[in-house]
Amino acid sequence: MKQQSNTLRGMRTAAFAGALLTAACAASAQDEAVSFPDPASAYLQEGSFVSLENLRNVAPGLTKNQVRELLGSPHFSEGVFGVKTWNYIFHFRRGGQIVTCQYLVQYDDGKLLRSTYWNRQECEDIAKTGTP
């Protein structure tokens, strides 16, 4: 009887430790540092001009297909299965100049948009206001 009790206690401890490890891994995956790929590694190195209206419609909870409809396909080879990050090179016109920015889209485990990031604050400002 006592041996069975010790076995159950050991199994509970192992299950609890496993649950903690799983939670820790999930938390660390969400807290990963955001890094942008080298633009030279993009298959669409010239980037694209994106619609500000479409950018403003990108929001958490969108599916990958909805993001693709708004922004097009990602500009880098992101892989095939289990891809959680899409990267883009976008251009904006500012006066007589062109500003080039990188945009990163992260998805959660359910393949829904979780968050987005710009490589520079200037890019985020242009996307939000249409001006630098």
Side-chain angles (χ1 to χ4, degrees), residues 11-65:
M11 289 173 59
R12 286 186 198 139
T13 302
F16 181 71
L20 284 177
L21 182 61
T22 301
C25 289
S28 68
Q30 290 179 353
D31 295 336
E32 289 177 11
V34 173
S35 63
F36 293 89
D38 178 2
S41 68
Y43 77 85
L44 186 62
Q45 290 184 0
E46 67 271 14
S48 62
F49 287 88
V50 65
S51 158
L52 288 175
E53 182 179 346
N54 285 358
L55 263 176
R56 291 177 187 140
N57 283 311
V58 173
L62 293 180
T63 65
K64 287 182 175 183
N65 284 336

Side-chain angles (χ1 to χ4, degrees), residues 49 90-101 120 122 126 130-132:
F49 287 88
F90 291 139
H91 305 293
F92 301 101
R93 294 189 193 282
R94 183 179 72 189
Q97 297 182 337
I98 295 176
V99 177
T100 300
C101 301
R120 298 190 323 269
E122 172 189 25
I126 292 171
T131 59

